[in-house]
């Protein structure tokens, strides 16, 4: 290791007044970040501020910008940090290496591409290009994807990508994460090999290659590695808890000479293992860099003490972590609320009503967010917001009726209701193997006069050999639809058969999509007429488009978001909904190493998004005709009683949702169906067993 320790020049006049603009924790990092340095930055503690002031300080101390490497994960974050550095200095530090991992890798690889057998003008494939190339590989190998559902190009690419980013073999990834395709491993491996061949033949790299190829050239070319690590006297990395094994190796190699590597992150917010992020990169940093200094940023500028007390108490249950407790700057306020409801419908009604109350009290809609573990958890709420004309913006995916799988199932139901619906037929036929646009049009022409689904099934349909398997697969589903009449039963008839196989083969997240559709079926149990159900769906499907007047004004909206998409954001009021066991934590987390701890980190992230008000909600029962009792999330049960206030809704099934809240001194607020307080004395407490019997 080459020693390079910044020697502050006492005679140098500094433009920035660091002592006035930073707190003591941040200042210690800015002035003392030489050598291997781990900065554990808690939520809302000003980590971006700290890292940008550190860069500005280095430059003010005479370090050349070209000798500084500043790396983060998103273009937005990189742009923000570079703009802050420029603002602090009063000029742009020309030569500073700042950007995402991928952009930095691309810049280096274009200079040293010949070392990898590529030209300096190599092409970067976007996601669509990559899927198209995988599709070419499948066709070239003459794989018969009609004999059984074969993974789609998108799903194959997900397997290949995870293997590259985790540095695992494709075989291991399929065995552990896509086990339903175990028998296809040799074929999938051949596709992966052919995909690599085509990329090299085309002088092209995909996004994963940018990282993997840089890592490989740093390993294989010591001269190049030493040249780069000699240049980068200071390496600073933001959001280090989100790095995968390849990114961590790149950081290690680029900082090998000087070892002035400062990484900023929060192990309590490591929530991206599904992208191959490894929390052990930040947990093991002191082992990888012996003698590393550790700083903690725990002064939180975002949330009230009551919200932080809940966050601290929750994350304390994790074993694999750096212990730290967030400390609040904001004044004390109300306790976070826990609000059980009778069912998902009442949960949605409560949240929607409280949003209207908050708006009347002066809280802007844009300062209200509803967070959830998975997209399907918000479906009942979306319906309620539509009914009350509350505008919302959806983060982390499309709105419910815009999702492809929901549109697919609706098309099946439309075919049942109206067999002459040409566009619905086009969609359901397009899902079948071997049926393209031309074939679909020919099939539709043969059934265009049918008035019922039974008549379609009795028709003498002429279909070619290539499309035969696809048509027979569709017939199996149509036969199930023909004997059902209730909307919920029709939805489940579609999702229980051939369409489920299609989802599994087509999408990496097919289980989440199945959950979406089950939630859709639960909602449909409130309807007995298919036409009424489809009419309501059609009338609400276009809801939420931007409304603008002549001045270009966009209507203010609340935010609906998955917790993953909400990371890094904050609002005055945050609802965290559908906190039901087996949903949050996700049931699959029980089978994964470290799964529960990552789910608890998700809960922590959701909690720390709130500035002033935090409301946890969950339904006590699910279903309509057949009620099932839901257990509250284990993350709610872990919270000490005194940290939250229980809100009892009038008309809610009278079950104490968490056993410790049955004490006489429990904090309970009773609200009526409109969310207004009512006389507590009129509410009788009932035992758990009595409530179960009532169900």
């Amino acid at each position: 290791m080459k020693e390079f320790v910044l020697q502050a020049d006492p005679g140098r006049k500094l433009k920035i007044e660091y002592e006035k603009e930073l707190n003591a924790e941040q200042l210690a990092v800015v002035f003392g970040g030489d050598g291997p340095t781990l900065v554990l930055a808690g939520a809302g503690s000003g980590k971006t501020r700290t890292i940008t002031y550190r860069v500005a300080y280095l430059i003010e101390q005479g370090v050349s910008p070209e000798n500084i490497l500043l790396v983060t994960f998103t273009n937005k974050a990189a742009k923000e940090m570079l703009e802050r550095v420029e603002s602090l200095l009063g000029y742009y530090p020309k030569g500073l290496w700042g950007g995402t991992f991928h952009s930095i890798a691309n810049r280096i690889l274009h200079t040293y591409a010949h070392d990898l057998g590529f030209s300096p003008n190599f092409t970067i494939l976007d996601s669509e290009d990559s899927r198209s190339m995988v599709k070419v590989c499948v066709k070239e190998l003459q794989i018969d994807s009609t004999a059984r559902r074969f993974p789609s190009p998108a799903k194959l690419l997900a397997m290949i990508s995870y293997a590259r980013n985790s540095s695992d073999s494709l075989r291991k990834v399929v065995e552990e994460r896509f086990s339903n395709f175990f028998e296809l491993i040799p074929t999938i491996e051949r596709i992966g090999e052919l995909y690599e061949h085509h990329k090299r033949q085309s002088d092209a790299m995909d996004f994963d290659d940018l990282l993997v190829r840089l890592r490989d050239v740093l390993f294989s070319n010591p001269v190049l590695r030493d040249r780069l690590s000699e240049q980068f006297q200071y390496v600073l990395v933001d959001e280090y808890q989100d790095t995968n094994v390849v990114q961590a190796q790149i950081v290690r190699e680029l900082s090998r000479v000087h070892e002035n590597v400062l990484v900023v992150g929060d192990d309590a917010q490591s929530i991206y293992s599904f992208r191959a992020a490894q929390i052990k990169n930040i947990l093991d940093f002191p082992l990888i860099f012996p003698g590393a200094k550790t700083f903690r940023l725990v002064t939180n500028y975002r949330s009230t003490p009551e919200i932080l007390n809940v966050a601290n108490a929750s994350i304390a249950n994790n074993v694999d972590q750096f212990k730290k407790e967030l400390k609040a700057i904001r004044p004390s306020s109300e306790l976070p609320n826990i609000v059980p409801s009778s069912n998902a419908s009442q949960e949605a009604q409560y949240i929607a009503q409280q949003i209207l109350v908050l708006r009347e009290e002066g809280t802007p809609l844009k300062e209200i967010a509803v967070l959830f573990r998975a997209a399907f958890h918000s479906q009942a709420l979306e319906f309620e917001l539509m009914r009350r004309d509350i505008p919302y913006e959806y983060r982390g995916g499309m709105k419910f009726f815009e999702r492809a799988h929901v549109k697919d199932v609706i098309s099946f139901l439309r075919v049942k209701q109206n067999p002459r619906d040409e566009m619905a037929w086009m969609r359901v036929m397009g899902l079948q193997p071997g049926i393209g646009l031309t074939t679909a049009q020919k099939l539709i022409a043969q059934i265009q006069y049918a008035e019922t689904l039974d008549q379609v099934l009795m028709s003498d349909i002429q279909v070619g050999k290539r499309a035969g398997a696809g048509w027979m697969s569709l017939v199996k589903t149509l036969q199930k639809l023909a004997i059902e009449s209730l909307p919920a039963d029709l939805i489940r008839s579609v999702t229980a058969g051939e369409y489920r196989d299609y989802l599994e083969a087509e999408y990496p997240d097919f289980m989440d999509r199945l959950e979406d559709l089950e939630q859709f079926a639960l909602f449909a149990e409130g309807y007995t007429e298919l036409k009424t159900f489809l009419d309501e769906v059609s009338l609400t499907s276009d809801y939420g488009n931007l409304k603008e007047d002549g001045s270009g004004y966009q209507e203010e909206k609340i935010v609906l978001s998955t917790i993953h998409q909400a990371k890094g954001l904050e609002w005055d009021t945050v609802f965290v909904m559908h906190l039901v066991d087996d949903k949050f934590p996700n049931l699959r987390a029980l089978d994964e190493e470290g799964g529960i701890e990552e789910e608890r980190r998700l809960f922590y992230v959701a909690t720390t998004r709130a500035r002033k008000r935090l409301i946890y909600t969950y339904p006590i029962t699910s279903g309509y005709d057949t009620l099932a009792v839901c257990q509250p999330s284990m993350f709610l049960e872990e919270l000490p009683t005194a940290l939250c206030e229980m809100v009892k809704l009038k008309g809610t099934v009278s079950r104490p949702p968490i056993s410790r809240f049955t004490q006489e001194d429990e904090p309970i607020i009773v609200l009526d169906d409109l969310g207004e307080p009512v006389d507590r004395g009129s509410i009788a407490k009932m035992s758990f067993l009595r409530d179960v019997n009532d169900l």
Side-chain angles (χ1 to χ4, degrees):
M1 180 183 79
K2 179 178 178 180
E3 290 291 337
F4 187 93
V5 178
L6 181 65
Q7 298 294 329
D9 183 355
R12 182 182 294 271
K13 183 174 176 59
L14 301 180
K15 175 185 175 183
I16 303 169
E17 298 181 281
Y18 296 94
E19 290 86 351
K20 289 184 179 180
E21 299 181 24
L22 300 172
N23 67 29
E25 296 166 354
Q26 298 164 342
L27 198 63
V29 174
V30 171
F31 287 171
D34 292 337
T37 303
L38 172 62
V39 181
L40 298 171
S45 63
K47 71 175 182 60
T48 302
R49 183 180 185 84
T50 303
I51 198 170
T52 52
Y53 270 80
R54 172 66 180 169
V55 173
Y57 177 72
L58 292 174
I59 294 173
E60 284 207 309
Q61 287 295 327
V63 178
S64 174
E66 66 181 13
N67 297 133
I68 300 173
L69 174 63
L70 174 60
V71 191
T72 189
F73 275 84
T74 67
N75 290 318
K76 180 181 178 182
K79 183 173 182 290
E80 178 186 355
M81 286 196 294
L82 292 175
E83 287 176 348
R84 287 196 188 188
V85 172
E86 180 180 8
S87 176
L88 289 172
L89 294 173
Y91 64 91
Y92 184 79
K94 186 177 180 181
L96 175 65
W97 283 65
T100 65
F101 273 96
H102 291 88
S103 66
I104 296 297
N106 179 50
R107 184 174 172 182
I108 295 174
L109 289 174
H110 271 295
T111 303
Y112 301 101
H114 285 302
D115 293 75
L116 293 163
F118 289 84
S119 79
N121 298 317
F122 66 83
T123 300
I124 299 176
L125 303 176
D126 62 19
S127 299
E128 185 177 350
D129 295 329
S130 297
R131 287 193 296 270
S132 297
M133 188 172 282
V134 169
K135 189 174 183 179
V136 168
C137 295
V138 172
K139 186 174 182 179
E140 188 174 323
L141 291 174
Q142 298 182 335
I143 296 170
D144 181 10
S145 58
T146 63
R148 92 167 248 190
R149 289 288 185 185
F150 194 77
S152 67
K155 188 137 191 174
L156 290 166
L157 199 60
M159 299 174 187
I160 294 169
S161 178
Y162 192 92
R164 305 292 302 287
N165 285 293
S166 63
S167 291
D168 286 330
S169 69
L170 191 51
R171 170 176 288 273
K172 181 180 179 182
V173 168
V174 176
E175 287 177 347
E176 294 182 355
R177 302 185 66 86
F178 304 92
S179 57
N180 289 335
F181 298 104
F182 178 82
E183 296 177 359
L184 297 174
I185 286 178
T187 304
I188 294 171
E189 288 179 319
R190 182 71 185 106
I191 292 170
E193 294 168 358
L194 192 57
Y195 176 57
E196 294 302 316
H197 171 75
H198 273 287
K199 285 188 293 182
R200 187 170 287 277
Q201 190 178 50
S202 302
D203 194 28
M205 297 188 198
D206 61 21
F207 289 119
D208 298 329
D209 285 323
L210 294 174
L211 301 181
V212 174
R213 300 294 186 194
L214 175 58
R215 187 271 312 271
D216 291 348
V217 76
L218 292 174
F219 279 174
S220 63
N221 189 332
V223 175
L224 169 60
R225 179 198 66 205
D226 291 345
R227 185 187 310 157
L228 289 171
S229 58
E230 173 73 33
Q231 175 185 345
F232 297 131
Q233 296 170 358
Y234 287 90
V235 177
L236 303 95
V237 186
D238 190 25
E239 302 286 9
Y240 193 70
Q241 77 281 348
D242 294 335
T243 54
N244 59 40
V245 63
V246 179
Q247 291 161 329
Q249 289 169 336
I250 290 172
V251 171
R252 180 69 185 95
E253 296 306 306
L254 290 179
S255 60
R256 182 173 291 276
V257 172
H258 301 293
E259 289 205 344
N260 281 316
V261 52
L262 183 148
V263 301
V264 182
D266 184 5
D267 55 296
Q269 297 186 70
S270 179
I271 57 174
Y272 293 115
S273 64
F274 65 93
R275 296 180 186 167
Q278 295 197 8
I279 190 174
K280 73 175 185 178
N281 289 340
I282 192 168
L283 294 179
D284 291 350
F285 186 87
L287 301 177
I288 298 170
F289 293 91
K293 292 177 285 188
T294 299
F295 295 89
R296 284 174 167 80
L297 305 181
V298 295
T299 301
N300 178 284
Y301 292 89
R302 176 186 301 157
S303 306
T304 65
E306 289 76 11
I307 292 172
L308 295 187
N309 288 340
V310 170
N312 289 331
S314 176
I315 202 65
N317 291 285
N318 272 9
V319 175
D320 293 330
Q321 65 166 319
F322 293 107
K323 296 289 185 181
K324 58 184 177 296
E325 284 204 1
L326 298 178
K327 301 175 183 177
I329 292 295
R330 278 182 174 270
S332 185
S333 185
E334 61 192 69
L335 291 175
N337 291 165
I338 296 178
V339 188
S341 56
S342 291
N343 49 44
S345 178
Q346 191 188 43
E347 179 185 35
Q349 291 170 23
Y350 168 76
I351 293 173
Q353 181 61 32
Q354 290 304 298
I355 290 170
L356 295 176
V357 170
L358 288 166
R359 184 178 65 179
E360 288 299 313
E361 293 175 349
T363 301
L365 289 183
K366 67 180 181 180
E367 287 297 343
I368 303 172
V370 185
L371 308 183
F372 32 84
R373 173 63 182 83
F376 69 89
H377 295 166
S378 69
Q379 189 252 353
L381 178 60
E382 288 191 62
F383 271 101
E384 192 62 32
L385 295 175
M386 293 174 192
R387 290 192 181 105
R388 295 177 184 245
D389 198 28
I390 300 175
Y392 66 93
E393 175 187 351
Y394 198 97
R395 307 267 182 91
M398 295 182 174
K399 293 181 179 180
F400 192 79
F401 291 114
E402 295 172 353
R403 299 169 199 167
H405 48 293
V406 176
K407 287 185 175 181
D408 291 344
V409 171
I410 290 173
S411 292
F412 277 105
L413 271 59
R414 284 168 54 184
V415 164
K416 163 76 174 182
Q417 175 65 24
N418 175 18
R420 300 175 67 180
D421 188 334
E422 181 178 352
M423 297 313 297
W425 277 116
M426 290 295 293
R427 188 172 189 103
V428 299
M429 288 185 181
L431 302 172
Q432 314 308 319
I435 300 182
L437 177 62
T438 302
T439 302
Q441 290 173 329
K442 291 179 180 178
L443 290 170
I444 291 171
Q446 297 181 61
I447 59 177
Q448 61 180 326
Y449 298 113
E451 295 183 359
T452 66
L453 208 52
D454 286 329
Q455 291 179 11
V456 172
L457 293 169
M458 290 187 294
S459 300
D460 183 17
I461 305 297
Q462 301 299 313
V463 60
K465 181 178 179 181
R466 183 172 181 274
W471 173 250
M472 291 310 299
S473 175
L474 177 56
V475 166
K476 291 179 182 178
T477 300
L478 297 178
Q479 288 172 336
K480 297 173 185 175
L481 295 180
I483 61 176
E484 301 291 354
S485 59
L486 296 177
D489 295 339
L490 290 165
I491 293 171
R492 292 192 175 101
S493 293
V494 175
T495 58
E498 288 67 28
Y499 184 69
R500 185 188 192 282
D501 297 335
Y502 164 80
L503 286 180
E504 183 176 2
E506 188 71 17
Y507 299 108
D509 61 344
F510 89 100
M511 286 301 296
D512 290 338
R513 293 172 187 259
L514 283 176
E515 292 276 19
D516 259 359
L517 296 175
E518 174 56 24
Q519 190 69 26
F520 193 28
L522 286 171
F523 174 80
E525 288 184 357
Y527 295 81
T528 57
E529 296 289 336
L530 178 57
K531 185 179 186 307
T532 303
F533 177 71
L534 289 175
D535 285 348
E536 179 155 344
V537 166
S538 297
L539 290 172
T540 57
S541 60
D542 289 331
Y543 177 84
N545 292 330
L546 292 180
K547 299 177 182 178
E548 300 186 1
D549 58 24
S551 63
Y553 167 77
Q554 289 189 359
E555 186 177 16
E556 191 180 75
K557 303 176 180 182
I558 68 163
V559 172
L560 267 59
S561 177
T562 62
I563 300 170
H564 284 99
Q565 288 294 320
K567 184 174 175 289
L569 303 176
E570 58 187 77
W571 297 269
D572 280 350
T573 299
V574 171
F575 295 85
V576 187
M577 70 177 301
H578 215 77
L579 281 160
V580 177
D581 222 22
D582 294 344
K583 303 299 182 185
F584 195 1
N586 187 298
L587 187 60
R588 281 167 281 169
L590 299 173
D591 300 324
E592 298 176 1
E593 183 179 356
I596 291 297
E597 293 212 345
E598 177 156 335
E599 291 289 301
R600 189 177 287 108
R601 293 194 292 271
L602 261 180
F603 182 78
Y604 175 87
V605 167
T607 297
T608 53
R609 298 312 92 197
R611 298 192 195 106
K612 300 177 181 178
R613 301 179 193 85
L614 175 64
I615 303 98
Y616 299 120
T617 70
Y618 68 94
I620 293 174
T621 66
S622 63
Y624 286 84
D625 294 335
T626 303
L627 293 182
V629 178
C630 300
Q631 296 296 324
S633 169
M634 63 180 291
F635 303 140
L636 290 181
E637 292 186 313
E638 291 172 347
L639 297 178
T641 305
L643 297 186
C644 294
E645 200 158 32
M646 177 66 71
V647 174
K648 179 76 166 59
L649 301 182
K650 181 181 178 182
T652 305
V653 175
S654 211
R655 167 193 167 194
I658 306 175
S659 58
R660 65 175 186 284
F661 282 112
T662 60
Q663 302 169 17
E664 286 302 318
D665 60 349
E666 64 186 4
I668 294 183
I669 298 175
V670 182
L671 302 182
D672 63 18
D673 294 334
L674 296 180
E676 296 296 329
V678 300
D679 180 12
R680 285 181 53 179
S682 64
I683 305 297
K685 297 177 183 178
M686 303 171 70
S687 71
F688 173 79
L689 290 177
R690 180 179 175 186
D691 291 328
V692 172
N693 291 333
D694 287 345
L695 295 177

